[in-house]
Amino acid sequence: MDGLGTRRLEVLKGHLHGQGDVKPSECSAVKSSAPMSSTKAEVQRAFPRHRQEVLKWNGWGYKDSRFAIDDKGLTCFHGHRYAIGDVQMPKVVPWMVEEVGLELSQTSFSQPHPSPKELPSPIPCRDFVDEIRPFCADISDEPGDRLFHSHGHTCHELFALRTGKIGRLVDIVVWPANHSQVESIVRAAVKHNVCIIPFGGGTNVSGAVECPANEKRPVASMDMTDMDQILWIDEENLTAHIQAGIIGQDLERKLQDKGYTCGHEPDSLEFSTLGGWVATRSSGMKKNIYGNIEDIVVRVRMVTPQGTVERNFLGPRNSIGPDIHHFMLGSEGVLGVITEVTVRIRPVPQTRRYGSLVFATFESGVAFLREVAKQRCAPASIRLMDNFQFQMGQVIKPVPSLWASFTDQLKKIYLAKFKGIDLKEMAACTLLFEGTAEEVAVNEKKIYTIAASFGGIPGGEENGRRGYFLTFVIAYIRDLALDYSFLAESFETSVPWSRVVDLCENVKTRVKKECKDHGIATPPLIACRVTQTYDAGACIYFYLAFKYTGISDPIGAFDEIEAAAREEILSNGGSLSHHHGVGKLRKPWVQSAISPTGVSMLKAIKQQVDPQNIFGAGNLIPT
Amino acid sequence: MENYLKLDFDAADVTFALRQHHPEASERGGKSCSSQQTKQEALKSPRLQRILEEVAEESSRELKDVQKEAQELLEEIGHKMALPAVRSLALVLRSVLRRILKGVFVNKPGLEKLKEAVRQWPVVLLPSHRSYLDFILVTYLMFEHNITLPSIAAGQDFMNMAGVSSLLRRSGAFFLRRTFGSDKLYKAVFTAYVQTLLCSGDSPIEFFIEGTRSRTAKSLHPKYGLMNMIVEPYLDGRVPDVVMIPIGISYERTLEEELFARELLGVSKPKESTGALLRARTLLGENYGSIIINIGSPVSLHDLCQSKGISRIPHVLYPRDYTMMLTREREMIFELGHMIVHQTYHCMVVYPSALLASAVLYQSRGVPLGELVPMVEWLRRELEERGVAVYWEGGDTLSLIHSSLQMHSVCVELTSSDLVRPRTCHLMSKLATPSGHTPSMVELLGMTLDSSELHLITEISYVHLMLAHYRNQLMFALIPEAMAALSLYHFLPCDKASALKRFDALHCALYKEFVLPKRVPTEMFQDTMHRLLDRGVVVSQRPGDYTLNSQKEHVLAFLESLVAPFVAGVWVVCHHLLSMKGGVQSVSATVHGAKVLAAKCVKEGVVKSYETLSLDLIRNALQSLTESGLIMQHTSEVEGRDRLVKVDDLKGLQALTRELEVMVTSGPSRAKL
């Protein structure tokens, strides 16, 4: 007991002191590495069951949080949930006009929310509903619910919503509350031949929750977010057993209340669910300390039409043939639905510190990251932004005070004149250190020493913080772009170190050429960053946006350009996906990625577990 | 000519010398590397480093020594581009060209595309090669139009020209040895250098895909060495694409015309030396007409690979310095080479001098001036119908012919009786055999030829080859039709099968002489027959049967005449080979023997064309026969000795000889054009 007691105390101490290391002024800028949408500890859930009450139906995030350009051409971020709330950012518009050809007159605002009459009426499934109604927490065929549960966040899906081109919708939404309810619902679905599409945060960017257009059966969206309980915490073994529908920010808040963290921070943390992370093989920003989702999970329970699949032990490793977890990780809702997950947890770190570095070129930055990976001393997060992203970070800022703009100017002069760095060429690296104060100090020293040998110049803590913060608002920027005749998307890959630089360069070149060939007049925005480092390679994240004014079929052009970018990635040694998953969007490339035999193995599993195709979202497995 | 820009030789030299050269920056992140940086980067390339280690291990040498050798090789290879050198070279060039040329023209749309491509992609410029002038013309052009200057692959022969080599080097030329097949180290160093230029630099690479100047002005078979080096970085993902730009450079009068004719006859081939180039200066008082640089449409390697279903993915499964070509990729490069040569030649412009030369060679005893006018006009129409650009500078045909005659007075003359004929025509009468008896091959082989006769024949050939240099300029557009015509003309009416058989024999005999596709020629024959039928040159009453259209007999006769000299040449070579009776002979002895036999044939009237003396033709024939497996060439066991030639398939060779014989020796006199 003694051991446990002491540890508990330490954990709590860590928690109490955790923020203590961070100066209060810095706290105000960003509240955590991921912004917590709510500050009230007593709130149990970030948003209500019918999420469209607080979340946008046709865009990213909260209804009350958005970028807008006012009559004077000034950009402002509305809402108080984030640190940049309600301040004007005068540099954004001029910069966008200059860099990507923004024209304020070319608006393309969204259609209003379609009225119930405009939506296809649901295919009835009365028998199914009658069977589950007695135990199911909630069932809805309200148009608003159905619409919200029928899309993810690909550019394609949002463009369709915004232009009023509503396709096949789910026919009903069900909210189970626990594992056995899920089992009963799946049994009923098998009995009445109802198609189920599991729904977590709905933040996927792969078309994974879209209904297959040709699905003639009733489709039920299984919204998992009522299943948000931490069932137990095992402090001895540092594990927690959690219902899979818990939203990322709720999970972190609840764990941190007890002095722990899961440490998994995908960019969608505010909205995505634990089960969604498992089902897509997600990756978190701080994977260098906590691991990616496959490292974090200890046990997964998944309900399939054939019953529940699970490992009946909590041991840390096993040698029992191919790991059945790998049939669940990345199964994208086509084999079953994930209900409960045991994860590793860690005490909340005492110290968290940001940092940043400036490199003369993207290449030298990559060389630095490679060396860090080689020496295996990567901090919790290390990222490298290309010049474009760096510039973007610099303009999404409030009006600087006179003093701040003066020092900004001094910094520029210092870099350009004294360090010989071309501001149009340089790349920026952002760092996040976590651990005990000593660990962080040692790690920082090592990182800055390595950086120096690649010509890296420290750029201060504030720039590092901004870098991470921008990750969470960038999705809001896309909505702004969509308002002004742009199409925008992000995509990612992983690639061996030796090909990182060329892949980035070649993909950019290919996208520019494709845009030109498609008659897109203004050069596109195509920017990238290295977001993860591994022993053998790195993860690269791209942003793509272009103005489609004058193009007759913008989304058709967009699809072709995105496909060309994907082809180029594959041709340069990149993987089909690092963490976004396959969904429907990347299915055409699966066979060449994993060999026909590999596909037949997946098909055999699908056939065995779900012969009726109850989990009929149609993701991942090529037909 | 409204789409053409004239290069500005007229602006004052001072103005020109002070002209700025600031090309727009590369948009693809290519950096303008100094020549020294390029060499250093090439040396650092992981692949070269790996090979250096291998070489050190294989030859039990210290790695340091091998590295040092590599560095020395890089010095030997690398250019030392320096703007002042380019500027002074350009100054000399314009002052010379101003005196001997009417002008140098470049097509505007091509130039725009070139400019754009250089900014956005790794670019390879692939000019045709008929003169040393090609080396500097493109650079000059790009200098004048403010485009990043190219790095140019030059043959090592230039390195012997003391001042010239250093001037070329400073104008962006880098040097490659003629052969480096087995020299692993050299090959690796050279490859690394070229690939560094392509991948890291912002300057385009320029090389001559035909490898050497085409002495005959016909297209030459592409060389694949550099092509491989260019394609590899794309397959390996080091560059997003390689954009290849064919450039056709057409000369109204080739500066080296006499030199080429001499070389083709093997009459003292002067080694390229500064002295020879200086002697060339005596030519500078003459009129060389104009030069047209036609920049073709850029070819994207990426698009080509896409269309051929070639994926880069197989290469991503290997470390980056382990690229190796797959069979399909090699095939693609083979096709690409042919395609580029083809496109380069289709960029070319045909000058009236080519039409004139064709007409004169068609009737080599002389054409009355009055007949020449309609002949030239007819030829122009025939070519234009086939999409060939003919340079026609206003004015009436007769005055064009006059000015052309004046310009080409070295090889063609206008007699007092208004007869246009090869300048050496009068010598032909001295050779006429009195008896009128045409000797058989056996008799010919036994005959001897005294040196004064050989000298006389050579002198006539010399002028004929010069004329052929111009006639050949329209060959690219007509070759398949000419081959088909030869397989038909003397045999009409005939059936398709027999014509195809003869066509097949021609394909086999001329494979190396012309840049013919490697495939079985049936397809080519059918395509061509379609064209001939469409034009009504032959008619087909029943499918598979061809008959003569007497209205168009002259077309067939002319087409046939284009290719007949070459076939006669191969036929003579075949006879010489058969006369070896299974023995072995060195290549040089074989070539000489065939040439003497050709001279005898010409003298006795067995063969009509003096072009059969061309060493180039004889060597190509040997290559073609080797390619089809009829003869063998193998390296002598004694080092430094010539390769040996041996008949490998006697029956096959006999059959081919018979097949060619029918085509070469039969036939009435030629129809009037």
Side-chain angles (χ1 to χ4, degrees):
Chain A
M1 262 333 271
D2 217 31
L4 185 63
T6 322
R7 196 174 48 254
R8 187 73 214 258
L9 211 65
E10 272 171 18
V11 166
L12 282 174
K13 211 166 68 193
H15 172 53
L16 288 172
H17 293 280
Q19 303 298 323
D21 207 59
V22 184
K23 290 185 215 108
S25 66
E26 289 162 349
C27 277
S28 65
V30 185
K31 281 143 195 149
S32 143
S33 61
M36 289 301 157
S37 317
S38 170
T39 47
K40 289 181 219 144
E42 69 271 19
V43 170
Q44 283 300 299
R45 253 170 91 167
F47 22 79
R49 180 176 289 161
H50 303 281
R51 275 174 271 184
Q52 63 273 28
E53 290 164 18
V54 294
L55 300 185
K56 290 193 193 88
W57 67 277
N58 62 350
W60 182 259
Y62 297 100
K63 274 182 174 174
D64 56 11
S65 303
R66 65 192 181 89
F67 280 98
I69 299 175
D70 67 15
D71 298 339
K72 279 174 263 155
L74 292 174
T75 310
C76 181
F77 188 83
H78 295 283
H80 297 278
R81 293 179 191 267
Y82 302 89
I84 55 166
D86 279 343
V87 282
Q88 290 194 327
M89 288 164 275
K91 287 203 260 171
V92 175
V93 169
W95 183 77
M96 282 176 76
V97 168
E98 166 85 7
E99 292 291 325
V100 293
L102 170 74
E103 276 180 51
L104 294 181
S105 58
Q106 292 168 343
T107 54
S108 54
F109 296 124
S110 172
Q111 303 269 320
H113 192 290
S115 69
K117 270 182 288 176
E118 290 172 85
L119 297 176
S121 46
I123 299 172
C125 46
R126 191 173 312 251
D127 297 343
F128 171 70
V129 173
D130 288 347
E131 186 155 344
I132 64 173
R133 195 182 300 282
F135 59 85
C136 198
D138 198 359
I139 300 171
S140 165
D141 62 356
E142 286 298 309
D145 283 323
R146 288 173 57 217
L147 187 62
F148 192 90
H149 286 80
S150 298
H151 69 85
H153 282 268
T154 65
C155 182
H156 205 121
E157 288 163 304
L158 293 185
F159 189 77
L161 288 173
R162 293 172 57 102
T163 51
K165 295 190 180 63
I166 313 291
R168 172 81 158 96
L169 297 186
V170 296
D171 301 298
I172 198 164
V173 184
V174 301
W175 280 265
N178 57 47
H179 177 80
S180 67
Q181 282 186 10
V182 173
E183 285 187 319
S184 307
I185 294 170
V186 171
R187 268 198 301 274
V190 170
K191 186 165 153 198
H192 301 288
N193 200 19
V194 170
C195 172
I196 296 178
I197 298 179
F199 193 92
T203 56
N204 70 84
V205 280
S206 61
V209 300
E210 262 185 319
C211 294
N214 57 359
E215 181 58 71
K216 299 283 187 295
R217 302 173 291 178
V219 178
S221 178
M222 188 183 274
D223 186 315
M224 299 300 290
T225 50
D226 262 17
M227 293 178 58
D228 62 349
Q229 299 303 305
I230 295 180
L231 299 175
W232 48 253
I233 293 179
D234 178 347
E235 289 174 288
E236 178 97 47
N237 295 304
L238 288 178
T239 52
H241 192 64
I242 305 158
Q243 287 188 308
I246 193 167
I247 300 286
Q249 57 171 311
D250 292 337
L251 169 65
E252 272 305 312
R253 190 177 55 248
K254 286 178 182 176
L255 283 176
Q256 285 183 21
D257 282 347
K258 302 218 180 318
Y260 295 103
T261 177
C262 170
H264 190 68
E265 287 189 14
D267 292 356
S268 60
L269 178 75
E270 296 165 276
F271 308 104
S272 55
T273 62
L274 173 59
W277 299 342
V278 175
T280 51
R281 292 183 68 91
S282 83
S283 171
M285 177 182 104
K286 299 192 290 194
K287 72 96 192 153
N288 295 335
I289 291 185
Y290 302 98
N292 283 320
I293 196 70
E294 66 273 21
D295 310 308
I296 291 171
V297 297
V298 176
R299 176 169 177 252
V300 186
R301 305 185 79 192
M302 181 167 88
V303 177
T304 79
Q306 296 292 306
T308 296
V309 54
E310 59 194 318
R311 277 192 340 205
N312 288 318
F313 53 87
L314 286 174
R317 187 181 185 276
N318 69 84
S319 174
I320 325 174
D323 192 339
I324 55 156
H325 273 178
H326 288 293
F327 298 154
M328 305 182 225
L329 283 156
S331 57
E332 304 195 354
V334 297
L335 297 178
V337 53
I338 291 147
T339 55
E340 290 172 11
V341 185
T342 310
V343 299
R344 303 190 309 207
I345 54 171
R346 301 284 304 159
V348 171
Q350 277 181 0
T351 304
R352 168 190 297 144
R353 198 140 63 225
Y354 293 95
S356 69
L357 288 159
V358 169
F359 290 91
T361 59
F362 187 69
E363 286 89 326
S364 55
V366 170
F368 159 69
L369 258 58
R370 204 278 161 272
E371 184 59 30
V372 168
K374 209 183 256 174
Q375 297 195 24
R376 288 189 170 169
C377 58
S381 172
I382 177 167
R383 286 178 173 179
L384 181 73
M385 296 187 279
D386 72 357
N387 188 268
F388 194 93
Q389 292 205 13
F390 168 75
Q391 306 254 357
M392 187 160 72
Q394 295 301 303
V395 297
I396 303 178
K397 265 185 184 172
V399 194
S401 68
L402 207 57
W403 173 247
S405 76
F406 176 67
T407 49
D408 270 2
Q409 215 46 44
L410 276 185
K411 275 186 219 161
K412 276 187 192 169
I413 292 168
Y414 170 74
L415 286 178
K417 299 285 175 205
F418 291 88
K419 294 291 179 178
I421 284 179
D422 180 352
L423 296 172
K424 288 270 174 199
E425 280 282 313
M426 54 166 281
C429 175
T430 56
L431 302 160
L432 171 60
F433 300 91
E434 273 192 14
T436 63
E438 301 82 56
E439 280 165 358
V440 167
V442 170
N443 199 190
E444 273 183 326
K445 188 159 178 262
K446 187 151 193 189
I447 292 295
Y448 291 121
T449 313
I450 297 174
S453 64
F454 291 90
I457 301 160
E461 193 168 0
E462 183 53 32
N463 278 326
R465 181 180 290 106
R466 290 192 56 76
Y468 287 101
F469 168 69
L470 278 174
T471 305
F472 294 96
V473 292
I474 197 119
Y476 287 102
I477 294 178
R478 179 180 50 188
D479 288 340
L480 178 69
L482 290 173
D483 280 344
Y484 290 92
S485 305
F486 282 84
L487 289 175
E489 186 68 288
S490 62
F491 45 91
E492 39 71 63
T493 188
S494 66
V495 63
W497 280 114
S498 61
R499 290 180 180 271
V500 169
V501 173
D502 287 338
L503 183 139
C504 293
E505 206 53 53
N506 292 353
V507 169
K508 287 180 182 183
T509 312
R510 176 72 46 223
V511 164
K512 285 179 198 157
K513 175 165 191 267
E514 286 292 324
C515 284
K516 203 169 158 196
D517 292 352
H518 279 86
I520 290 152
T522 335
L525 176 169
I526 174 80
C528 70
R529 60 172 189 232
V530 181
T531 58
Q532 294 287 13
T533 63
Y534 296 88
D535 282 5
C539 167
I540 301 166
Y541 206 94
F542 287 94
Y543 291 114
L544 158 68
F546 64 80
K547 194 168 75 175
Y548 58 80
T549 317
I551 304 295
S552 57
D553 175 17
I555 205 72
F558 178 85
D559 288 346
E560 283 172 26
I561 292 163
E562 193 190 8
R566 183 55 59 188
E567 297 275 357
E568 190 65 27
I569 286 175
L570 297 173
S571 301
N572 282 275
S575 63
L576 187 50
S577 174
H578 170 264
H579 60 271
H580 282 173
V582 173
K584 299 177 187 67
L585 193 59
R586 284 170 279 274
K587 216 158 67 161
W589 293 280
V590 167
Q591 174 148 324
S592 65
I594 64 169
S595 81
T597 313
V599 169
S600 71
M601 287 165 110
L602 290 182
K603 280 184 175 165
I605 291 165
K606 168 76 179 171
Q607 182 57 32
Q608 184 62 37
V609 175
D610 185 15
Q612 242 177 293
N613 195 26
I614 294 301
F615 288 93
N619 301 324
L620 178 66
I621 306 171
T623 37
Chain B
M1 291 303 284
E2 67 280 6
N3 267 330
Y4 286 83
L5 276 175
K6 195 174 176 197
L7 289 194
D8 181 13
F9 292 150
D10 300 328
D13 283 346
V14 180
T15 325
F16 182 83
L18 295 175
R19 188 187 290 250
Q20 298 281 323
H21 183 74
H22 289 305
E24 288 176 64
S26 160
E27 288 169 17
R28 65 177 174 99
K31 297 186 184 44
S32 59
C33 295
S34 78
S35 46
Q36 216 48 36
Q37 279 171 334
T38 309
K39 288 181 220 170
Q40 273 161 14
E41 207 174 307
L43 192 64
K44 276 192 296 191
S45 87
R47 182 174 189 179
L48 180 57
Q49 284 300 327
R50 179 169 62 82
I51 293 175
L52 293 185
E53 281 167 31
E54 279 175 22
V55 169
E57 198 165 312
E58 284 160 16
S59 56
S60 337
R61 289 164 61 190
E62 289 277 331
L63 180 60
K64 243 193 283 167
D65 293 345
V66 182
Q67 277 167 337
K68 194 158 164 271
E69 193 186 335
Q71 201 146 19
E72 286 162 5
L73 283 174
L74 276 170
E75 288 303 319
E76 178 197 307
I77 294 165
H79 71 65
K80 289 182 178 153
M81 175 97 74
L83 216 47
V86 179
R87 219 181 276 276
S88 37
L89 190 65
L91 274 173
V92 174
L93 188 73
R94 67 204 301 271
S95 73
V96 170
L97 294 187
R98 202 160 35 202
R99 275 164 47 201
I100 63 168
L101 286 180
K102 278 183 285 178
V104 178
F105 300 91
V106 57
N107 62 332
K108 265 187 269 182
L111 186 64
E112 284 312 310
K113 280 188 207 154
L114 170 75
K115 206 170 193 174
E116 194 189 328
V118 168
R119 267 204 323 268
Q120 295 177 347
W121 304 100
V123 166
V124 177
L125 305 175
L126 298 154
S128 60
H129 200 13
R130 281 184 192 162
S131 167
Y132 280 146
L133 216 47
D134 298 327
F135 272 105
I136 18 191
L137 271 179
V138 177
T139 304
Y140 182 91
L141 166 77
M142 291 168 78
F143 180 75
E144 188 174 304
H145 287 276
N146 216 11
I147 306 172
T148 312
L149 300 181
S151 309
I152 314 155
Q156 220 183 7
D157 337 2
F158 275 114
M159 281 174 53
N160 307 327
M161 305 168 142
V164 175
S165 87
S166 117
L167 191 58
L168 282 179
R169 214 186 267 280
R170 284 187 289 142
S171 308
F174 60 97
F175 295 91
L176 76 158
R177 295 181 182 168
R178 277 268 170 250
T179 49
F180 49 87
S182 60
D183 190 341
K184 187 173 173 180
L185 180 62
Y186 182 80
K187 193 176 175 192
V189 172
F190 188 80
T191 308
Y193 183 74
V194 171
Q195 294 185 343
T196 306
L197 282 177
L198 187 78
C199 302
S200 320
D202 64 348
S203 86
I205 296 181
E206 175 182 335
F207 70 86
F208 300 103
I209 192 165
E210 296 171 286
T212 179
R213 289 170 301 163
S214 171
R215 271 77 170 159
T216 56
K218 284 188 290 102
S219 50
L220 304 179
H221 273 259
K223 297 266 180 282
Y224 298 107
L226 271 156
M227 217 51 176
N228 281 322
M229 291 175 203
I230 295 299
V231 171
E232 221 173 56
Y234 166 73
L235 292 175
D236 202 23
R238 277 180 283 171
V239 290
D241 196 353
V242 178
V243 169
M244 290 162 287
I245 305 184
I247 301 175
I249 306 177
S250 321
Y251 293 84
E252 187 163 15
R253 180 176 167 200
T254 310
L255 271 77
E256 290 101 324
E257 53 178 4
E258 294 181 78
L259 194 73
F260 286 164
R262 246 181 284 146
E263 282 184 29
L264 288 174
L265 289 166
V267 193
S268 71
K269 185 199 173 202
K271 240 199 149 78
E272 275 107 11
S273 68
T274 313
L277 204 77
L278 287 179
R279 269 198 301 286
R281 267 192 64 90
T282 56
L283 300 175
L284 296 189
E286 306 234 349
N287 174 15
Y288 285 89
S290 66
I291 299 173
I292 294 178
I293 304 175
N294 237 338
I295 302 169
S297 292
V299 177
S300 149
L301 180 59
H302 175 77
D303 292 351
L304 183 74
C305 286
Q306 294 275 91
S307 71
K308 303 236 175 253
I310 288 178
S311 161
R312 287 166 283 173
I313 293 179
H315 299 279
V316 308
L317 301 177
Y318 295 89
R320 298 211 78 183
D321 50 340
Y322 274 80
T323 326
M324 49 198 163
M325 293 265 182
L326 305 173
T327 316
R328 280 188 327 144
E329 291 158 0
R330 288 192 188 286
E331 284 164 7
M332 185 271 293
I333 292 173
F334 185 86
E335 281 176 51
L336 173 65
H338 276 245
M339 186 176 110
I340 294 286
V341 170
H342 185 80
Q343 293 194 2
T344 306
Y345 275 75
H346 278 266
C347 286
M348 297 246 206
V349 172
V350 169
Y351 277 103
S353 51
L355 309 182
L356 177 72
S358 308
V360 171
L361 282 177
Y362 184 72
Q363 252 169 272
S364 58
R365 296 265 164 192
V367 198
L369 190 57
E371 281 176 35
L372 196 57
V373 174
M375 271 170 96
V376 165
E377 282 172 352
W378 171 79
L379 254 171
R380 179 192 171 197
R381 280 195 307 275
E382 288 290 322
L383 286 167
E384 284 178 340
E385 266 173 35
R386 288 164 175 81
V388 178
V390 180
Y391 179 83
W392 205 260
E393 216 184 353
D396 63 305
T397 312
L398 189 63
S399 58
L400 275 180
I401 289 176
H402 272 300
S403 70
S404 200
L405 282 171
Q406 214 160 24
M407 193 183 313
H408 294 283
S409 56
V410 186
C411 48
V412 62
E413 62 182 1
L414 178 63
T415 64
S416 48
S417 51
D418 266 357
L419 202 61
V420 179
R421 60 181 201 183
R423 179 161 282 290
T424 45
C425 204
H426 60 282
L427 298 175
M428 282 156 92
S429 54
K430 292 191 187 172
L431 283 169
T433 38
S435 69
H437 155 77
T438 312
S440 71
M441 256 306 165
V442 182
E443 287 173 282
L444 276 173
L445 284 162
M447 258 159 65
T448 51
L449 196 63
D450 68 60
S451 66
S452 68
E453 279 176 318
L454 183 60
H455 184 77
L456 207 54
I457 295 168
T458 309
E459 210 170 322
I460 299 170
S461 292
Y462 172 69
V463 160
H464 277 236
L465 284 171
M466 248 190 278
L467 281 167
H469 179 90
Y470 294 100
R471 178 208 57 203
N472 286 346
Q473 294 181 10
L474 41 93
M475 210 62 112
F476 71 91
L478 301 171
I479 265 303
E481 285 179 59
M483 283 167 65
L486 185 59
S487 66
L488 291 170
Y489 185 36
H490 303 299
F491 311 94
L492 290 173
C494 72
D495 64 316
K496 186 177 160 186
S498 71
L500 179 57
K501 196 165 162 239
R502 285 185 293 271
F503 191 85
D504 212 13
L506 289 178
H507 182 272
C508 167
L510 302 175
Y511 173 68
K512 278 284 165 182
E513 185 65 42
F514 301 106
V515 184
L516 298 179
K518 212 174 195 171
R519 308 188 289 278
V520 193
T522 317
E523 207 176 303
M524 185 179 164
F525 178 73
Q526 264 156 356
D527 279 1
T528 315
M529 283 317 300
H530 275 303
R531 258 178 286 159
L532 288 178
L533 288 167
D534 279 351
R535 293 209 165 91
V537 178
V538 282
V539 283
S540 175
Q541 254 107 30
R542 276 176 305 148
D545 261 345
Y546 307 118
T547 44
L548 185 71
N549 175 3
S550 49
Q551 305 276 297
K552 297 261 189 170
E553 187 186 343
H554 58 289
V555 183
L556 213 52
F558 174 72
L559 286 171
E560 176 262 358
S561 80
L562 288 177
V563 80
F566 300 97
V567 181
V570 180
W571 177 71
V572 170
V573 172
C574 288
H575 270 293
H576 175 76
L577 289 166
L578 290 172
S579 77
M580 284 158 48
K581 307 230 180 304
V584 175
Q585 211 172 42
S586 74
V587 171
S588 53
T590 314
V591 170
H592 181 73
K595 183 187 158 183
V596 172
L597 182 59
K600 286 191 273 189
C601 288
V602 170
K603 177 176 170 266
E604 297 298 328
V606 175
V607 163
K608 286 176 203 77
S609 172
Y610 283 82
E611 294 169 48
T612 46
L613 268 75
S614 159
L615 301 185
D616 192 59
L617 171 51
I618 297 168
R619 285 195 200 99
N620 280 336
L622 291 176
Q623 289 301 327
S624 300
L625 297 174
T626 309
E627 195 74 36
S628 53
L630 298 176
I631 63 170
M632 260 173 32
Q633 295 189 46
H634 46 90
T635 333
S636 160
E637 277 156 34
V638 187
E639 205 166 324
R641 279 269 184 81
D642 210 356
R643 272 169 311 158
L644 297 175
V645 178
K646 180 176 181 271
V647 177
D648 198 37
D649 175 0
L650 184 63
K651 283 216 175 99
L653 187 62
Q654 282 167 337
L656 179 70
T657 314
R658 270 197 306 277
E659 203 67 68
L660 297 179
E661 188 152 320
V662 213
M663 288 185 270
V664 171
T665 53
S666 59
S669 62
R670 283 170 181 172
K672 282 233 152 120
L673 294 185

